[in-house]
Amino acid sequence: MAHLFKEHNILRQLISHNTTSYSQPLPWLISAIFLFVNTLSFAQTNDSITPGERAIYRQLLEPTDSLPSVPMDSLLLEQNPILLEDETETDEADQEENPEPEQDGALENDTTETAPKGRSGGMIDSEVNYSAKDSTFFNKGKVFLYGDAQVSYEDVQLTAHQIELDLENNIAYAVGTVDSLGVEQGLPVFKDKSGEYTMRRMRYNFKTEKALIEHVVTTQGEGFVVSELAKKNSDNTYFLEDGRYTTCDNHDHPHYYINMTKAKVIPGKKIITGPAYLVIEDVRIYPLMIPFAFVPTTSSYSSGFLMPSYGEESNRGFFLRDGGYYLAASDIFDLALTGDLYANGSWGLRTASNYRKRYKYSGSFNAQRITNVTSEKDLPDYSKSNDVSVTWSHRQDAKASPFSTFSASVNYSTSSFDRNNVGSIINPEILAQNTKRSSISYSRQFPGTPFNMSLNALHSQNSRDTSINLTIPDLTVTMSRIYPFKKKNRIGSKEAWYETISVGYTGNFKNDIQTKESDLSFSPKSLSEDWRNGARHSVPVSMNLKLLNFFTLTPNMNYTERWYFRSVEKAWDATEQDIVTTDTIQGFNRIYDYSFGVSTSTKLYTFFTPSRTLFGDKIDRIRHVMTPSVSFSYRPDFGDPKFGYYDRFEYYDEDRDQIVKHEYSLYENTLYGVPGRGESGSMGFSLGNSLEMKIKSDRDTTGFKKIAILESLNFSSSYNFLAEEFNLSNISMSGRTKVLGTNISFGATFDPYALDTTTTRSGVLNVTRVDKFEWNEQKRLARLQSANLSFGFGFGSDTFKKRREERTGEGSETDIPEDDPLDIPDDNPFADDEIPEDALSMGDVDPLEAGEDGYAQFEIPWNVSFNYNMRLVPDSFNEAQMAYNHKVTADISMSGRISLTKKWDMNLSTGYNLDRKEISHTNVRINRNLHCWNMSFNLSPFGRYKSYFFTIAINSSLLRDLKYEKRSNPRDNPNWF
């Protein structure tokens, strides 16, 4: 029962007045003694149910006619002080002043009456209102209410099928009824300021506010408290005998419960119980027995110790996991500090926090530090790893600020964290994730101006090669396009050409580093030498002109200026036979470039009507849309010495036996690059294509339906008229289409220039690109460099169901007749007079729905998805064809899910790498919903993370440690099958 203490701080609630540190032994001892005394003392109070009272209480819960021959007054006033006060004398003066004549008779139909305040049993503070839907009967100072009976007194309300109201003694007796099928109807429901309670029978005193209850059901926290016999006191506390605490909503027959031999319930605060034991499917688990327990049931969360779970691993030994302390700091945030401890010296620390301020912000923060030790020192396989993980998510409410936003999404960990984290073996998405990214962003708009600003911190890392890219900060200031020459009060609708001139601005400042995890440093020396920083300012100027009503002409000019704070000098190192950096010069450097251009585009439509003889009249026409665009741009040669962006030196290359002239940039490896060398006057051209087919359709309101044959097919390239060589750039091709519901994407890159080979003195073959077209050398238009193809499709039970509905013209919902085909007509001669109750009880089995044919509908939802990714990359060089051979790298991934029933789920995810010819990480998950329990089995049958994990646990978070787990450690890679 340690799980009962885990979610709440028991000792803190009991000795909250004690400010002594918990690390001292004396407060711990005092707390334990106080807890024991507090939980057992309730059994010794006069209010608890004693064996002598139990028989009398059982009699009092029976209707009046079935009571023993002992006078009612004797039972109520002498032997049962719970219902009436100890003062049993009648105020005769009050009786004389307020005579109450007896009224006998019955009132039919719905009646509402009010009982006077004064009665011989004593005075009550308010009137008692009662009503019934069926009938009301008066007899000797008692009122009998039948059919949806209701009695209310101040903030107390009692409803039931039948209520017997004793006006003389201020006592109400409520009971339900049983219909012809044995189903209980109209059970008493008692409602007061402490909550709402459902029961079978109840006898309640309005004056003393005490009651006797049979089979009471009340909700306490996430669970339910059920007791066959309960006693309510005037302070709204309840004493139970053989009470059951469970989170199963099947109150009469729960799948499991904690049997409390005797207990005291303070609604909304706590439950104190004596000896208790676990019962699962009516089997008493006596070994799981505790002598006493204290269960807080407050609706507000509170601080408390988190009890660890224990177990054993063959690699790291015995362990205690997830033990620590939970701090309910305030209504805004909480904090959980937990840790792990292993016998071989491995350990871990975690901190987790959730915070939320209504209409302002919300988020969560998690940090982990894990040290994993493998094997023993001085052994060959000994290793020790220190892994760190930090995740942070922050969201700002849209109502918090209309002009500024702050958000964060941080996901950082060391590269080996996921591999060493046991929890990731059952989540293939984590293992397949090689790249992690983080961003912290603040943005602000300045109302009334075209300016806005954003401040970011960015992070990305690759777990395969441990590379990391960190940017702190990334400041961007932008000015939306403005039209400085546009007239505010223009006469007429036509704009002058100069009114379309627009100007924009973007300024950016960055400070980043690209390095390995082990080399990352924030020292002043590293910040000045290893980190890159700089600023860039861009000013675009453009205008739009209509040309011949079919073309859009867009002249433009772009000016870019870069600020750097260091430059480099290089030279040839004859000893190392390599080019090295000889000096790094700190200082401010201003670098600028500019370009001019003009672009135009249009659309061309071609319609084709297929042959009616071959295709009939189903296809109306086919439309081909071409979108050609042409652009011209000019850029000066910023490699000219007058700009000072480049430097040159000469050296002798012994391997090639020649003088080599080397030109380099003074600002290599900078954030924003450097202006390009060589004068450029290029023309860019692209062609977009799409192909659609228009067919007749009776389902469309227009009578026609459009089908995309080819969603897009694009080609692009450029030609530099001023370049000394390689005027034509590579040709790019990309496309997208859909076939039978499958999305297909493809692309390729072609090189129009040929290759040539040279051999060095050492016999090494060098392949170089030469300024000769492939058509002239190899009679090929271009040479394939790379290509890619990807497609994915999925289908399932819903796919076929939808197609059946489309063919039959039915809707998505199946019409089910109101009459149940399983009902037996009353005039059926073969129907039994009485149906056994156990034949009607289906437990937690969901009823089957009936189809139009009268048979039960039986469906097994399932879905399967496939993804294929293929890449064609250069491999070895083929001298015969003067081109590179290509290597195909491809991956196939598959995932599927099937629900054999509404409670059985099976999931599978796997893949295959065609290049390495091996199966990727495979995970099988089987889940069974056991109503208030859940069972799951995860299996990784092969590979590095070969393992299994089985668990069966209660769904409720309050009792989440009441579970059974069996797992294998993936580090051990056991041979268990």
Side-chain angles (χ1 to χ4, degrees), residues 441-508:
S441 176
Y442 172 78
S443 61
R444 179 172 180 81
Q445 298 178 354
F446 299 93
T449 70
F451 293 95
N452 58 76
M453 179 267 294
S454 67
L455 181 64
N456 302 278
L458 306 173
H459 147 264
S460 66
Q461 64 181 117
N462 190 301
S463 58
R464 287 189 174 180
D465 57 6
T466 71
S467 62
I468 186 170
N469 188 353
L470 190 62
T471 302
I472 305 178
D474 183 353
L475 175 64
T476 302
V477 178
T478 61
M479 182 188 75
S480 56
R481 287 184 176 270
I482 60 174
Y483 297 85
F485 304 107
K486 180 171 288 188
K487 297 179 180 179
K488 295 182 179 179
N489 300 316
R490 183 176 61 253
I491 300 175
S493 60
K494 188 176 181 180
E495 288 183 337
W497 64 269
Y498 55 83
E499 291 185 78
T500 63
I501 297 176
S502 63
V503 181
Y505 168 78
T506 302
N508 181 255

Side-chain angles (χ1 to χ4, degrees), residues 496-615:
W497 64 269
Y498 55 83
E499 291 185 78
T500 63
I501 297 176
S502 63
V503 181
Y505 168 78
T506 302
N508 181 255
F509 172 79
K510 277 186 184 180
N511 181 54
D512 80 346
I513 186 173
Q514 296 179 357
T515 184
K516 300 290 185 180
E517 288 181 12
S518 57
D519 299 331
L520 181 62
S521 174
F522 293 91
S523 64
K525 181 180 180 182
S526 177
L527 291 174
S528 61
E529 295 181 0
D530 301 331
W531 288 69
R532 304 181 304 170
N533 43 62
R536 179 177 61 188
H537 309 272
S538 300
V539 180
V541 180
S542 63
M543 61 185 301
N544 292 321
L545 300 175
K546 278 290 185 180
L547 187 63
L548 301 177
N549 293 327
F550 297 105
F551 297 91
T552 301
L553 193 66
T554 307
N556 61 84
M557 187 275 288
N558 293 278
Y559 175 83
T560 302
E561 184 168 302
R562 306 168 181 85
W563 294 351
Y564 296 132
F565 302 99
R566 63 171 175 258
S567 59
V568 297
E569 291 185 356
K570 294 185 176 184
W572 174 257
D573 190 332
T575 304
E576 299 291 336
Q577 290 292 302
D578 197 5
I579 300 172
V580 297
T581 301
T582 58
D583 193 10
T584 301
I585 304 171
Q586 303 291 336
F588 178 78
N589 301 275
R590 172 178 168 269
I591 304 169
Y592 66 90
D593 67 330
Y594 51 86
S595 63
F596 305 92
V598 62
S599 62
T600 184
S601 64
T602 188
K603 284 184 179 292
L604 302 176
Y605 298 89
T606 303
F607 295 91
F608 169 71
T609 301
S611 173
R612 300 301 183 190
T613 305
L614 296 177
F615 299 98

Side-chain angles (χ1 to χ4, degrees), residues 79 134 241 287 415 427-428 765 873:
Q79 300 184 34
D134 188 2
E241 183 184 54
S415 298
N427 191 345
L765 182 67
V873 296

